[in-house]
Amino acid sequence: MKQVSDNCFAVLIEKNRVCDANSGLINLAGGVVIDTQSDLPHARQMIELFSKVWPAMPRRVINTHEDADHVWGNQLFEGAEIIAHRSVPERMKQVAEPKEGQKMLQGVGHLLTRLVLKALHPGIVAAGQQLLEDYNFDGIELVLPTTLFDARYELDLDGTEVHLIYVGACHQVGDTIVHVPKERVVFAGDVLFRQCTPMGWTGTYEKWFQCLDLIIELDPEVIVPGHGPLCGIEGAMEMKAYLEYVRDESKQCFDNGLPSLEAAKRIEFGPYGEWRAPARLYMNVERAYREFRNEPPDEPWDTAETFDAIYQVARAKGIEVEY
Ligand SMILES: [Zn+2]
């Protein structure tokens, strides 16, 4: 846990691989927790860390978007008001249904199933084994947000304003950033990945650029990213440079008729090879391709296919796969 301003705190998951999502706390007016971790043990640990500074369980929770790794601890905040963008409850039912994740980890944990799975989907097995090192999805139940907003929602916490600004769809449909102007803090959710390769699911590059520009304009002193260590606006600038680089490189490959997987194998990681999970590049290439093909940004992803493609990119680059 780190204190980032007078009343803002962050719990940062340092491994910075998939599911290692950060949480925030604004310790005013009964407390506001931002994002609730990927499983119950991590959520409990987050609660324990934050409870060193809060007087009682917080009255409010904000979910920055619908992804599992930001909402699967919601059930531990009994009686709290859960706030999110209007799209989030329906989207959670589509993309954060716990049974899928539970089944995947059970399959990977079971030797025979794992062997069969490995022949079909080496990416699912590799991702599942990585997740089993840290996560246990048992007992998770979806608890949906109940206070919903459209473009903007403001809280007044003992005289400190908190602005929830809807910025989606750039990484996911419900993308929301939380700005505390008085303390110059932005909780960015997964609009910002720091020192790890972004995974964008639903949305457009244009929206993502606009959102990163907005964060830079807000001029925060500290940004708490959805994944990765704390940063200032240089974090938003680097993410933007990464996305611009990938989109430009993808365009060249697209114009040369290469399929997206081949493009991802061929595009150099460059300085971003230092980030965690560089082979997740595939997803950013595929997203660019969807745009070049004028496909709708909410085209669903086949998880097995996506994890396999990331696996293949890592192999082609001669690196250990990481998700
Ligand atoms: Zn996330």
Side-chain angles (χ1 to χ4, degrees):
M1 178 176 68
K2 287 208 168 126
Q3 180 163 15
V4 302
S5 67
D6 286 350
N7 298 292
C8 295
F9 297 81
V11 158
L12 304 160
I13 309 287
E14 285 174 340
K15 266 195 189 173
N16 206 3
R17 305 188 294 184
V18 73
C19 276
D20 295 336
N22 299 327
S23 287
L25 168 69
I26 307 167
N27 201 23
L28 288 166
V32 182
V33 162
I34 298 150
D35 288 342
T36 59
Q37 299 287 311
S38 291
D39 68 2
L40 301 181
H42 282 79
R44 288 196 186 97
Q45 216 183 338
M46 175 262 285
I47 288 170
E48 196 186 308
L49 286 166
F50 280 153
S51 69
K52 292 181 178 158
V53 293
W54 73 38
M57 275 296 265
R59 282 178 42 200
R60 295 185 179 95
V61 168
I62 296 169
N63 291 140
T64 58
H65 60 289
E66 63 267 36
D67 281 344
D69 53 329
H70 301 257
V71 303
W72 273 358
N74 281 5
Q75 75 201 69
L76 298 184
F77 295 87
E78 231 184 288
E81 176 186 19
I82 305 181
I83 309 168
H85 179 256
R86 188 166 310 279
S87 62
V88 168
E90 275 312 306
R91 287 286 301 167
M92 275 172 68
K93 292 184 209 160
Q94 290 168 30
V95 302
E97 171 49 58
K99 285 198 184 67
E100 294 298 310
Q102 286 160 349
K103 249 194 281 170
M104 171 183 162
L105 286 203
Q106 277 160 10
V108 172
H110 185 268
L111 179 68
L112 260 185
T113 323
R114 181 165 73 234
L115 290 176
V116 177
L117 251 183
K118 192 158 187 169
L120 293 170
H121 291 300
I124 284 281
V125 174
Q129 282 181 311
Q130 179 191 304
L131 285 170
L132 277 175
E133 289 173 21
D134 299 305
Y135 291 99
N136 178 346
F137 297 150
D138 291 349
I140 296 166
E141 287 162 23
L142 270 196
V143 173
L144 305 176
T146 45
T147 299
L148 308 175
F149 68 95
D150 292 301
R152 204 179 159 90
Y153 190 78
E154 298 195 357
L155 292 168
D156 180 340
L157 306 179
D158 300 335
T160 296
E161 277 181 30
V162 176
H163 301 164
L164 283 69
I165 308 168
Y166 177 62
V167 292
C170 48
H171 145 276
Q172 216 17 318
V173 178
D175 290 327
T176 295
I177 62 170
V178 181
H179 182 214
V180 191
K182 194 168 158 189
E183 309 215 349
R184 296 187 63 201
V185 175
V186 168
F187 297 92
D190 283 2
V191 161
L192 193 66
F193 285 70
R194 181 71 179 148
Q195 288 167 17
C196 58
T197 307
M199 297 174 98
W201 298 95
T202 311
T204 63
Y205 271 83
E206 246 2 273
K207 271 274 172 197
W208 209 333
F209 293 145
Q210 282 169 20
C211 171
L212 291 167
D213 285 340
L214 170 67
I215 292 177
I216 294 163
E217 245 171 69
L218 295 174
D219 194 29
E221 206 165 307
V222 184
I223 303 173
V224 180
H227 297 261
L230 300 174
C231 58
I233 56 169
E234 78 286 353
M237 290 171 176
E238 274 181 38
M239 262 281 300
K240 195 177 169 196
Y242 171 82
L243 293 172
E244 281 169 344
Y245 169 72
V246 174
R247 190 173 66 167
D248 289 351
E249 293 289 309
S250 300
K251 186 71 172 77
Q252 281 184 33
C253 295
F254 180 80
D255 290 343
N256 288 329
L258 280 182
S260 60
L261 178 56
E262 284 315 304
K265 288 178 182 171
R266 219 173 280 192
I267 295 170
E268 299 278 346
F269 289 148
Y272 311 109
E274 305 280 309
W275 290 3
R276 289 310 298 248
R280 297 197 311 216
L281 164 72
Y282 165 75
M283 290 185 69
N284 301 309
V285 175
E286 171 59 21
R287 267 170 62 110
Y289 268 56
R290 290 174 176 203
E291 289 186 21
F292 303 147
R293 291 190 297 246
N294 290 317
E295 288 171 12
D298 58 352
E299 196 69 38
W301 293 77
D302 179 320
T303 314
E305 225 169 71
T306 306
F307 283 10
D308 285 349
I310 293 170
Y311 179 88
Q312 287 186 45
V313 171
R315 288 200 60 164
K317 300 275 193 186
I319 59 168
E320 196 73 39
V321 70
E322 189 173 58
Y323 291 90

